[in-house]
């Protein structure tokens, strides 16, 4: 049996290592931190959540729920850790990030088939007796990025990803805010900071004049071995608030500051705009500003964010940040089992492969670990059905138009639609989604069963 090398200790890497080990493979898990740090990580922990602490919606028959349900049925180790360290977040799955990392670390440490090596990998040697899973994420080191570019012969793409601020809960003026969940979905776990029109106008004015942080050299978009200082290429699903505000005076009110469905019990009405705060940890002593990633100077963040009602005297435990996120042009180089077409013993998983989001990255690790185990055991890996959420993600990253390829979260747009005749018959969108989810889970269960039989017979 071939040995498996997993490079990267973020989300996809540990999941891949644990999956492969659970299938009887010997795994070496490499992580360069703390030997070499990144510009965004704050620790050397496995599965550190750099941005928010949310793994998205748990609302039944939503696309994020479907992906997580498939992962639970597929025995995702990191999703089990997330479930075990969940904090109140309405209809979303959010975690205590420190407890989550600790639980993942314990899983790895207690697995006798996984050996951890703390060093930077700079070369991808093609050892015929070894399967490599590359899961180094959005901040892959320059040396390894150059090595991957050498192997694939394709130009890397990059976009900018952002981090939301975190506030000390004891410094929130609770007289000015209220707890609610949008449209009363789930429990009322979010703190809502309501704006009047005048307060919103003052906030937008301050935001529009705030100084941003000049881009550092490592944040510029690399191309063909050079660095060019052109305009940032933001990921549309994670824009900094100042960039959103530039697109129109009311754009924030229809984006992260949307008040719809958040009735203020003190007035009985929706506010003009709202900022939501989500619990960071089990102690509930800190909250992050939902969707408020930004690239403002720290002093400017303090000035602008303290204009949010209830945060006038806020103490910020972490300010917003921005970092460059690197991913490969997957449609040109990957097949449906996440193998490089020209180097099939190397698999790419997580955000480096072109999926976006924590849950999607873990899902990529789950698949890569299973595919790697099959290859190590001399079997031919099989991609999950297109009907499933996992299969739809893989189909997207391997079949999109390469010229305009950009990372994606799981949405119903990626899943196979219902047949035209059924779509005409069923007008209700929720009912359509329910049927899509039902079909997906049935197809997923079938794939798991077939994979289990194959593994047992190997």
């Amino acid at each position: 049996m071939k040995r498996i090398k997993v490079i990267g200790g973020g989300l996809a890497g540990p999941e891949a290592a644990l999956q492969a080990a659970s299938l009887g493979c010997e795994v070496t898990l490499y992580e360069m931190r703390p030997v070499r740090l990144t510009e965004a990580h704050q620790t050397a922990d496995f599965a550190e959540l750099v941005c928010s602490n949310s793994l998205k919606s748990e609302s039944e028959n939503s696309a994020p729920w479907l992906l997580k349900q498939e992962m639970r049925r597929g025995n995702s180790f990191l999703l089990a850790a997330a479930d075990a360290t969940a904090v109140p977040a309405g209809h979303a799955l959010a975690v205590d990030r420190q407890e989550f990392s600790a639980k993942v670390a314990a899983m790895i440490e207690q697995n006798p088939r996984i050996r951890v090596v703390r060093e930077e990998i700079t070369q991808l040697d093609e050892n015929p007796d070894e399967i490599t899973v590359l899961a180094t994420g959005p901040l892959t080191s320059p040396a390894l990025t150059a090595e991957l570019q050498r192997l694939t012969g394709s130009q890397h793409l990059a976009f900018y990803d952002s981090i939301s601020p975190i506030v000390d809960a004891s410094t929130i003026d609770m007289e000015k805010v209220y707890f609610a969940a949008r449209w009363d979905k789930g429990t009322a776990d979010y703190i809502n900071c309501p704006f009047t029109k005048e307060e919103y106008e003052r906030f937008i004015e301050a935001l529009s004049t705030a100084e941003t942080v000049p881009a550092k050299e490592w944040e510029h978009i690399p191309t063909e071995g050079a660095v060019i200082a052109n305009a940032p290429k933001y990921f549309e699903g994670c824009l900094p608030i100042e960039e959103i505000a530039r697109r129109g005076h009311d754009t924030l009110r229809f984006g992260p500051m949307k008040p719809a469905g958040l009735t203020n019990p003190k007035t009985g009405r929706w506010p003009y705009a709202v900022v939501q705060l989500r619990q960071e940890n089990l102690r509930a002593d800190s909250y992050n500003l939902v969707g408020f990633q930004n690239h403002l100077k720290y002093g400017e963040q303090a000035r602008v964010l303290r204009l949010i009602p209830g945060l006038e005297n806020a103490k910020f435990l972490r300010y917003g940040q921005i970092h460059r996120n690197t991913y490969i042009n997957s449609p040109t180089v990957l097949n449906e089992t996440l193998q490089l077409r020209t180097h099939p013993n190397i698999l790419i998983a997580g955000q480096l492969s072109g999926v976006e989001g924590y849950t999607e990255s873990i899902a990529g690790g789950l698949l890569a670990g299973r595919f790697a185990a099959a290859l190590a055991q001399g079997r031919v890996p099989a991609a999950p059905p297109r009907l499933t959420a996992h299969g739809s993600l893989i189909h997207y990253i391997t079949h999109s138009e390469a010229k305009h390829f950009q990372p994606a979260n799981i949405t119903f747009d990626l899943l196979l639609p219902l047949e035209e005749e059924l779509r005409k018959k069923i007008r209700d969108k929720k009912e359509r989604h329910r049927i899509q989810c039902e079909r997906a889970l049935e197809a997923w269960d079938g794939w798991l069963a077939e994979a289990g039989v194959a593994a047992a017979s190997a």
Side-chain angles (χ1 to χ4, degrees):
M1 183 188 300
K2 296 181 180 180
R3 187 169 183 87
I4 294 175
K5 175 195 290 185
V6 177
I7 307 172
L11 295 172
E15 179 70 30
L18 288 161
Q19 287 291 332
S22 74
L23 293 169
C25 298
E26 297 295 319
V27 181
T28 303
L29 175 59
Y30 291 85
E31 169 54 48
M32 71 177 185
R33 293 172 295 132
V35 177
R36 180 188 173 100
L37 299 177
T38 76
E39 298 83 355
H41 287 88
Q42 297 183 340
T43 75
D45 298 341
F46 289 119
E48 179 185 342
L49 301 183
V50 173
C51 299
S52 80
N53 66 328
S54 173
L55 277 71
K56 298 182 186 171
S57 177
E58 284 279 60
S59 294
E60 190 173 3
N61 295 327
S62 66
W65 171 86
L66 172 61
L67 182 63
K68 288 195 283 289
Q69 288 299 100
E70 291 181 3
M71 292 165 71
R72 290 183 177 109
R73 296 184 184 199
N75 188 31
S76 167
F77 291 89
L78 266 68
L79 194 57
D83 287 334
T85 58
V87 299
H91 62 98
L93 173 60
V95 304
D96 181 319
R97 64 181 80 213
Q98 292 181 338
E99 292 296 323
F100 172 68
S101 290
K103 190 165 284 291
V104 173
M107 289 178 176
I108 292 169
E109 183 179 346
Q110 293 164 11
N111 194 308
R113 291 196 177 98
I114 300 177
R115 181 171 70 97
V116 175
V117 177
R118 296 277 184 172
E119 68 178 47
E120 181 185 2
I121 299 295
T122 59
Q123 291 185 318
L124 297 172
D125 298 321
E126 292 188 84
N127 185 340
D129 298 321
E130 191 172 67
I131 304 297
T132 297
V133 176
L134 185 59
T136 44
L139 291 173
T140 298
S141 69
L144 194 53
T145 298
E147 175 72 352
L148 184 57
Q149 190 168 11
R150 179 188 68 80
L151 281 180
T152 62
S154 65
Q155 182 178 330
H156 278 67
L157 308 178
F159 65 87
Y160 286 72
D161 206 357
S162 306
I163 297 174
S164 294
I166 297 175
V167 64
D168 183 336
S170 67
T171 64
I172 301 170
D173 186 346
M174 301 305 291
E175 294 297 317
K176 294 186 176 182
V177 302
Y178 61 99
F179 281 88
R182 198 178 299 278
W183 304 113
D184 295 322
K185 288 185 177 180
T187 53
D189 299 319
Y190 287 79
I191 292 177
N192 295 272
C193 304
F195 286 72
T196 64
K197 182 177 181 180
E198 293 72 23
E199 288 167 335
Y200 179 78
E201 298 284 349
R202 188 160 56 248
F203 178 79
I204 292 297
E205 174 62 26
L207 184 60
S208 66
T209 59
E211 275 192 90
T212 58
V213 178
K216 302 177 182 67
E217 182 176 326
W218 65 271
E219 292 179 320
H220 294 156
I221 298 175
T223 177
E224 297 178 353
V227 172
I228 54 173
N230 56 358
K233 185 179 181 181
Y234 293 113
F235 173 50
E236 289 295 319
C238 195
L239 292 171
I241 56 171
E242 65 272 17
E243 176 66 19
I244 298 174
R246 288 190 194 101
R247 300 184 176 190
H249 184 80
D250 289 321
T251 310
L252 277 171
R253 288 206 309 123
F254 291 92
M257 295 179 70
K258 181 171 64 176
L262 293 170
T263 302
N264 187 340
K266 299 172 185 177
T267 65
R269 300 190 303 272
W270 296 348
Y272 188 75
V274 71
V275 170
Q276 287 198 302
L277 310 182
R278 179 172 52 222
Q279 188 174 322
E280 260 291 309
N281 54 31
L282 292 169
R283 298 186 304 276
D285 60 7
S286 59
Y287 281 76
N288 63 69
L289 280 65
V290 178
F292 254 55
Q293 55 272 359
N294 69 84
H295 201 203
L296 304 180
K297 291 184 175 181
Y298 287 174
E300 292 289 80
Q301 287 190 50
R303 177 179 69 88
V304 174
L305 298 180
R306 287 187 180 124
L307 293 175
I308 297 172
L311 302 188
E312 292 86 353
N313 298 303
K315 175 184 177 183
F316 290 96
L317 303 177
R318 183 184 76 183
Y319 286 108
Q321 300 173 37
I322 193 166
H323 58 87
R324 184 171 59 80
N325 195 342
T326 303
Y327 60 95
I328 65 171
N329 195 344
S330 293
T332 64
V333 298
L334 281 190
N335 66 20
E336 289 194 334
T337 49
L338 301 178
Q339 297 166 268
L340 289 176
R341 293 176 183 173
T342 55
H343 305 278
N345 276 6
I346 299 175
L347 291 77
I348 310 295
Q351 283 190 250
L352 190 60
S353 72
V355 299
E356 169 61 22
Y358 293 152
T359 312
E360 291 84 347
S361 294
I362 299 170
L366 183 155
L367 292 175
R370 286 173 167 269
F371 295 155
L375 292 167
Q377 294 165 350
R379 295 183 285 114
V380 178
R386 175 75 172 83
L387 273 174
T388 65
H390 283 75
S392 294
L393 272 174
I394 284 187
H395 184 270
Y396 171 80
I397 66 173
T398 56
H399 290 82
S400 294
E401 184 185 359
K403 185 177 179 180
H404 302 294
F405 178 61
Q406 193 177 61
N409 304 111
I410 186 63
T411 66
F412 279 104
D413 288 340
L414 300 190
L415 268 70
L416 277 176
L418 299 180
E419 297 84 355
E420 185 177 356
E421 184 177 335
L422 198 54
R423 289 202 305 273
K424 289 179 179 178
K425 182 179 179 181
I426 301 174
R427 299 290 184 180
D428 183 70
K429 184 191 295 185
K430 289 184 178 180
E431 178 61 13
R432 289 181 182 178
H433 288 174
R434 186 195 66 76
I435 295 173
Q436 284 178 285
C437 288
E438 188 177 85
R439 289 181 172 185
L441 290 173
E442 183 179 352
W444 177 252
D445 288 344
W447 179 76
L448 288 175
E450 289 179 10
V453 170
S457 62

